[in-house]
Amino acid sequence: MTGTSARIAWFEQVGSQTERTNPAPARTLAAPSGTRAAPGLGHVTLDWEPVNGAVGYLLQRAVSENGPFEVIDHGGGDVLAVPGPPYADTTGTAGQEAFYRVSAMASIEAPPGPPGPVAAARPADAGAGTVEVRVDARHVTRRLPRPWQPVIGSEHLALLLRGSGPGGSHVGDELAEAFRIVRRELGVRAVRAHAIFDDSLGVYREINGQSVFDYERVDAAYDRLLATGLQPFVELSFMPRDLASDPEHTTFEYRGIISPPRDMDRWSMLVRDFVGHLIARYGLKEVRDWPFEVWNEPNLRLFWSATQAEYLDLYDATARAVRAVDERLQVGGPATAAVGWIDDLIFHANEAGVPLDFISTHTYGAPPLDLRPIAEHLGRPGLPLHWTEWGVSPTHAASVNDSVWGAPLICRGMRSGAGRLASLSCWVASDHFVELGEATRLMHGGFGLLTIGNLRKPRYWALAVLERLGEDELGVELEGDGAGGLVEAWPSLHSDGRISIAIWNGTLDQSKTEGDQRLGRSIRLTLDRLPSGRCSVRHFRVDATHSNVSATWAGLGGGEWPDEAGWRKLRDADRLDELEPPQWFVVGPGGRISLEFELPMPAISLLEVSPE
């Protein structure tokens, strides 16, 4: 399959969903109350009272109080629901009155509940555009969660064994270095990748009707991964050719086989043997830390050629095979696209009595929904929830993947999910990614946080900013035009007394990827109850002209690949930029300092306050 035909196939198939043949019983939720629409400069902020049991909310807008109402599409290309209020609608027409209503969702596949009351607002064309941020330096709210650390995504690990690649790169060396970078700088602990059973690693074949297992290349890939300091989050896919019921059902440029096994007993034997081999090679204590995830996005025809019932059969056989090796190994799924089948798998696992140690699913273009109500309703409170793919766009070669627009979305998603999910895994670490063929230029809209050549994109710097936050979260209050919807803040306290505050300005509206001057905000930051004495303030920035490798590359003339001089200049600029020189303050008996600065949309500021 050529790269062009693979791309056509992707767009034709990615929206085709596998039929739900085993749906869980549906729930009914009440309508949200207290819907409020507050007009602001360039946007309308929607707010409402949360509904008990809701995983998210569907927002609708009309030009008349009587409708027709249409779902607000912020252009993320995936789930349109949001996990909760507030929501900044920047998709409307400036000066035109809009009418809004909100419905609660019990799951992504159930019809939304009845809408709440209608609220109206008219976005302003002009205004002050100011947000007050107040931080109490002594009000610790909790240990600061870090949902980016447990796992990050990667293309299949066979790439660790490759040599020369696009732009003169060495694929295996650069991918291994990308893993070391995210481990060292972001605190990431594991990698989730596709296709450990793909024939590119040669795990399984049949000779004279007998199953033969060969783990030489798997061992080489895992050895190299572990040497970077990361562990695998094991996705059990795709189907080995000799075991596939239909070897011609494939996906991607590398033709991963997506059909069920022709013999479930042999599949179970493969899983048991594979897991047993991992334990023999790496030790039981080590492998107990490796979650085993069953398949990838079986609710899309692109990844699973059979039915939901057949996936559940595969899940049952796989989960039981993993647990047959050791009862304390972790197994879960359904690893679905767009939050599908969550209710169905939990309900099925309860009915069938099969192991289910975690739920995993994916979403793009918005903060992850809150799946805890589903698990609680089905009698599984506390079930770990892993979002094993998350990013700004599900689309290959989307320019937004390289832009600064995605940086505040990363911050918003991580703060939204902090404390209510087990992990939020950015897809992916590196632009070495060959689903639709190799990259043909440096800035090609790749999913990676790091370019080919391991330059840090704005989305990477968003995570680096969050990783520089302290161990404890501090209390914060926001007030003003766009507070909570456009502008958010995440303050923290370090054990040595330093205070770090991340403040970002962003919208979910992907029609604003080039920015919008009306959405820029003046920030007035006040810190209270600081210790008396002198302190320094350093101000780091991610925006169109700071910490932005795309802008640096464009300034060098762009093109396909840098020459040697271009690489030197790009690497010299590969840093988290300071917006201005450090400032010094004398903190008096009142313990207060105040700062004012402009924060465009999209942008992130990191302020580090250090006592002398």
Side-chain angles (χ1 to χ4, degrees):
M1 182 183 294
T2 67
T4 301
S5 62
R7 189 172 298 280
I8 292 170
W10 169 267
F11 287 112
E12 286 178 346
Q13 295 179 53
V14 72
S16 177
Q17 297 189 28
T18 306
E19 181 184 359
R20 290 177 74 207
T21 52
N22 298 68
R27 293 184 293 141
T28 302
L29 298 181
S33 61
T35 307
R36 304 175 293 283
L41 178 58
H43 83 293
V44 172
T45 294
L46 300 181
D47 211 338
W48 59 93
E49 298 303 318
V51 174
N52 187 38
V55 302
Y57 300 87
L58 208 59
L59 315 178
Q60 297 176 313
R61 187 182 61 219
V63 296
S64 165
E65 187 173 8
N66 298 319
F69 284 87
E70 296 182 353
V71 175
I72 296 175
D73 185 350
H74 43 250
D78 204 322
V79 174
L80 298 183
V82 296
Y87 174 84
D89 178 24
T90 66
T91 66
T93 301
Q96 182 182 82
E97 188 172 29
F99 297 83
Y100 297 93
R101 65 186 192 184
V102 181
S103 297
M105 304 187 69
S107 82
I108 200 65
E109 283 153 328
V118 174
R122 187 188 308 271
D125 289 316
T130 299
V131 174
E132 303 271 356
V133 180
R134 294 183 290 274
V135 175
D136 185 336
R138 298 187 186 180
H139 180 205
V140 172
T141 57
R142 60 178 173 175
R143 198 74 169 171
L144 192 136
R146 286 173 153 77
W148 58 90
Q149 286 189 345
V151 61
I152 201 168
S154 176
E155 178 63 289
H156 61 293
L157 295 181
L159 293 181
L160 284 170
L161 309 181
R162 280 195 50 189
S164 61
S169 62
H170 188 287
V171 178
D173 288 352
E174 284 197 0
L175 184 57
E177 179 59 20
F179 292 158
R180 284 190 287 269
I181 289 170
V182 299
R183 177 74 187 106
R184 180 176 65 247
E185 298 180 10
L186 304 181
V188 174
R189 299 192 294 273
V191 169
R192 183 250 187 189
H194 295 324
I196 202 67
F197 286 166
D198 184 74
D199 288 324
S200 60
L201 289 174
V203 168
Y204 179 91
R205 65 187 187 278
E206 293 183 6
I207 300 176
N208 298 323
Q210 299 298 310
S211 298
V212 178
F213 310 110
D214 183 349
Y215 302 114
E216 180 179 359
R217 286 178 61 77
V218 167
D219 292 345
Y222 276 164
D223 287 353
R224 190 160 203 194
L225 172 64
L226 290 165
T228 70
L230 298 179
Q231 297 175 311
F233 190 117
V234 185
E235 176 200 299
L236 297 171
S237 72
F238 290 107
M239 194 59 59
R241 174 167 291 275
D242 285 2
L243 190 51
S245 58
D246 185 353
E248 300 310 310
H249 254 117
T250 65
T251 191
F252 298 146
E253 187 85 355
Y254 55 84
R255 298 181 65 82
I257 298 172
I258 60 173
S259 67
R262 58 175 177 77
D263 185 325
M264 195 64 78
D265 289 339
R266 292 198 179 207
W267 168 264
S268 296
M269 182 169 58
L270 167 61
V271 173
R272 287 196 305 273
D273 195 84
F274 171 68
V275 176
H277 170 79
L278 296 179
I279 291 171
R281 184 174 182 84
Y282 301 109
L284 180 58
K285 182 179 179 181
E286 170 73 23
V287 178
R288 279 178 175 163
D289 288 337
W290 302 5
F292 290 87
E293 183 183 41
V294 182
W295 213 255
N296 176 71
E297 298 193 351
N299 61 329
L300 295 186
R301 301 288 295 174
L302 178 68
F303 293 103
W304 182 245
S305 67
T307 65
Q308 184 191 52
E310 287 170 292
Y311 169 74
L312 294 175
D313 288 343
L314 182 85
Y315 181 86
D316 292 355
T318 307
R320 287 175 172 138
V322 169
R323 283 295 192 81
V325 181
D326 184 81
E327 278 295 320
R328 291 174 60 184
L329 295 175
Q330 308 166 60
V331 62
T336 40
V339 208
W341 297 3
I342 305 303
D343 317 51
D344 300 348
L345 181 59
I346 299 176
F347 180 76
H348 169 80
N350 288 345
E351 293 289 299
V354 294
L356 179 63
D357 300 307
F358 62 86
I359 282 291
S360 64
T361 191
H362 308 155
T363 196
Y364 289 85
L369 302 182
D370 187 354
L371 302 182
R372 293 175 298 178
I374 295 177
E376 291 167 3
H377 172 71
L378 292 172
R380 303 293 292 268
L383 187 67
L385 306 170
H386 289 282
W387 295 78
T388 51
E389 288 186 26
W390 181 65
V392 300
S393 172
T395 304
H396 291 70
S399 60
V400 70
N401 289 323
D402 293 337
S403 78
V404 72
W405 181 91
L409 176 61
I410 293 293
C411 292
R412 172 160 286 130
M414 291 297 174
R415 186 172 185 271
S416 171
R420 64 173 172 84
L421 44 77
S423 68
L424 185 54
S425 172
C426 286
W427 189 255
V428 286
S430 167
D431 266 352
H432 280 297
F433 197 90
V434 295
E435 287 182 352
L436 299 185
E438 291 186 336
T440 58
R441 55 194 300 118
L442 179 65
M443 290 298 156
H444 61 279
F447 290 129
L449 299 175
L450 297 160
T451 70
I452 289 169
N454 286 331
L455 302 169
R456 295 154 180 83
K457 297 184 188 180
R459 287 182 292 123
Y460 179 93
W461 288 121
L463 288 180
V465 163
L466 298 184
E467 180 61 13
R468 290 177 70 149
L469 295 178
E471 298 87 351
D472 292 323
E473 182 181 272
L474 291 174
V476 62
E477 296 179 354
L478 287 89
E479 185 178 357
D481 185 5
L486 292 173
V487 176
E488 291 185 284
W490 204 355
S492 66
L493 177 66
H494 298 260
S495 58
D496 60 4
R498 288 179 297 123
I499 293 173
S500 296
I501 309 161
I503 305 175
W504 55 88
N505 183 2
T507 170
L508 302 186
D509 175 10
Q510 294 206 13
S511 73
K512 303 295 190 297
T513 53
E514 299 303 316
D516 185 333
Q517 288 187 349
R518 297 176 305 160
L519 300 179
R521 291 297 181 263
S522 298
I523 305 299
R524 296 176 181 169
L525 172 63
T526 301
L527 287 86
D528 284 316
R529 297 209 292 171
L530 291 167
S532 299
R534 278 168 44 97
C535 69
S536 66
V537 178
R538 299 180 71 186
H539 190 167
F540 299 88
R541 173 60 66 80
V542 183
D543 63 18
T545 58
H546 298 86
S547 314
N548 185 355
V549 66
S550 294
T552 304
W553 179 227
L556 294 174
E560 293 184 356
W561 298 103
D563 58 16
E564 187 174 341
W567 278 117
R568 284 198 301 271
K569 291 177 180 177
L570 288 167
R571 296 195 192 287
D572 286 344
D574 188 25
R575 61 180 178 270
L576 181 61
D577 290 329
E578 290 199 63
L579 183 66
E580 57 193 357
Q583 300 180 62
W584 285 92
F585 293 83
V586 176
V587 182
R592 170 175 289 187
I593 65 171
S594 297
L595 302 94
E596 295 188 12
F597 55 90
E598 299 301 311
L599 189 64
M601 195 297 297
I604 304 169
S605 278
L606 172 68
L607 296 110
E608 295 184 341
V609 182
S610 302
E612 189 174 34

